[in-house]
Amino acid sequence: MKFASKSKKAFLKERDYYKSRLERINRSIKNKVNSSNFELLLAYFPNVNIERLENIDSFHNGITKILSQELLQARKDASKNLEVFNNELNIIDIKIDDLVENSRHNNYLFEKLFELSGKVSNIELENKFFVESNRLQKEIISTETVLSESKQQSLSTVMDRINKKIISINEKIHTEKRRAPELTLFEKDYEYKVFDNTGTGKAYTNLFILDICIFDLTPLPILIHDSVLFKNVENSVVDNIIELYNEQ
């Protein structure tokens, strides 16, 4: 009896360990992180340093891929070990039932002892997994922070080039001094600020400025403006825009 009880306690501890581990592995696999997509950024700004962003994202994906592979292998091992210990526990239960079949009271005490022992083991394992989960979460947050900072740096570089070109084109289009519009890029949005005159003609002029700016800074092969856009634009400005067309 003493030998059988000790054996069951040991197997219960092992069984509960792999059972708890398998449950947490399955949750981790279900909640794994998805990789980023830079296609939209690349479509609008072909000259952005996408290689640097991809290197950071690759590092992030590498961590996720390694974790996924390790989790899948760990799930396979945990399932196999869980089956082994369940079979051993079934054999031990049969032996214990034979030994205590005439003593229900003793059987209750034994089962209660095993149950409490299993709960203690689960609590210890949960605490260990919680600590490990927090460590991995901090690594993910750190990687995402680096990626976000890299995006901001690239967007800042793109904005600087565009806004400098906008100022240059604005000075060529307007004979008198007028404040140039300004483009601000965010990770998921943008803002094209217009100052002073906000009328229809000025709005179309600022559209021309931005289009010509992008045309100059990118490999865009052709730029077409509908003639209806010129209707509300000053004649002198239209003349200067045509001159910019002729320079291409």
Side-chain angles (χ1 to χ4, degrees):
M1 170 71 78
K2 187 175 182 181
F3 174 78
S5 297
K6 286 184 176 180
S7 297
K8 182 170 183 179
K9 182 178 180 180
F11 280 117
L12 273 172
K13 185 175 182 179
E14 294 293 334
R15 190 277 308 275
D16 290 338
Y17 168 81
Y18 286 107
K19 182 179 179 181
S20 178
R21 179 175 175 81
L22 184 59
E23 291 173 353
R24 285 157 180 77
I25 289 171
N26 285 333
R27 284 201 297 269
S28 295
I29 292 175
K30 182 179 180 181
N31 297 324
K32 63 182 180 179
V33 179
N34 291 323
S35 62
S36 301
N37 189 327
F38 303 109
E39 291 182 0
L40 292 178
L41 184 62
L42 186 61
Y44 285 97
F45 307 107
N47 294 329
V48 70
N49 188 355
I50 206 71
E51 181 178 358
R52 183 171 182 182
L53 297 182
E54 288 178 342
N55 287 337
I56 295 174
D57 198 44
S58 176
F59 171 73
H60 190 180
N61 290 338
I63 293 177
T64 302
K65 184 176 181 181
I66 292 172
L67 289 176
S68 297
Q69 292 174 347
E70 291 179 352
L71 287 172
L72 290 173
Q73 184 59 44
R75 180 171 66 180
K76 182 179 179 180
D77 295 339
S79 298
K80 182 178 180 180
N81 290 326
L82 182 61
E83 181 179 1
V84 171
F85 287 112
N86 278 332
N87 291 336
E88 291 295 335
L89 284 168
N90 288 335
I91 295 173
I92 292 174
D93 282 338
I94 294 173
K95 292 180 180 179
I96 292 176
D97 288 339
D98 291 338
L99 292 172
V100 297
E101 60 181 345
N102 296 321
S103 180
R104 293 183 180 179
H105 180 67
N106 287 338
N107 186 62
Y108 170 78
L109 292 177
F110 286 134
E111 292 296 333
K112 195 66 178 178
L113 178 62
F114 299 146
E115 179 184 346
L116 293 174
S117 177
K119 286 182 178 180
V120 170
S121 297
N122 279 337
I123 292 173
E124 292 175 348
L125 290 171
E126 287 175 0
N127 183 64
K128 180 179 179 181
F129 188 84
F130 177 77
V131 172
E132 180 66 12
S133 178
N134 281 344
R135 184 186 68 79
L136 294 175
Q137 187 64 27
K138 288 179 181 178
E139 288 186 6
I140 292 173
I141 292 174
S142 176
T143 302
E144 290 177 342
T145 299
V146 172
L147 178 60
S148 178
E149 290 175 352
S150 179
K151 286 181 180 179
Q152 290 294 344
Q153 184 177 357
S154 296
L155 289 174
S156 178
T157 301
V158 172
M159 282 191 299
D160 184 63
R161 291 189 62 195
I162 290 177
N163 285 318
K164 285 181 179 179
K165 193 68 176 178
I166 285 176
I167 292 173
S168 173
I169 295 174
N170 183 71
E171 291 176 350
K172 291 180 180 180
I173 286 180
H174 297 292
T175 54
E176 72 281 10
K177 186 175 182 180
R178 293 189 185 180
R179 189 173 178 181
E182 184 177 278
L183 179 67
T184 304
L185 300 175
F186 308 98
E187 284 194 34
K188 296 183 180 180
D189 200 1
Y190 74 94
E191 183 179 14
Y192 191 43
K193 294 181 182 178
V194 177
F195 306 96
D196 303 328
N197 188 346
T198 57
T200 302
K202 179 61 176 173
Y204 286 159
T205 300
N206 290 330
L207 174 62
F208 284 125
I209 291 173
L210 180 61
D211 286 348
I212 295 172
C213 172
I214 301 302
F215 185 65
D216 281 348
L217 294 176
T218 66
L220 195 65
I222 190 169
L223 176 64
I224 299 175
H225 283 136
D226 195 317
S227 59
V228 71
L229 296 177
F230 293 94
K231 292 175 63 176
N232 295 303
V233 179
E234 300 174 33
N235 290 335
S236 60
V237 173
V238 173
D239 290 340
N240 292 332
I241 291 174
I242 297 301
E243 287 184 14
L244 287 176
Y245 287 163
N246 291 332
E247 291 177 2
Q248 304 302 324

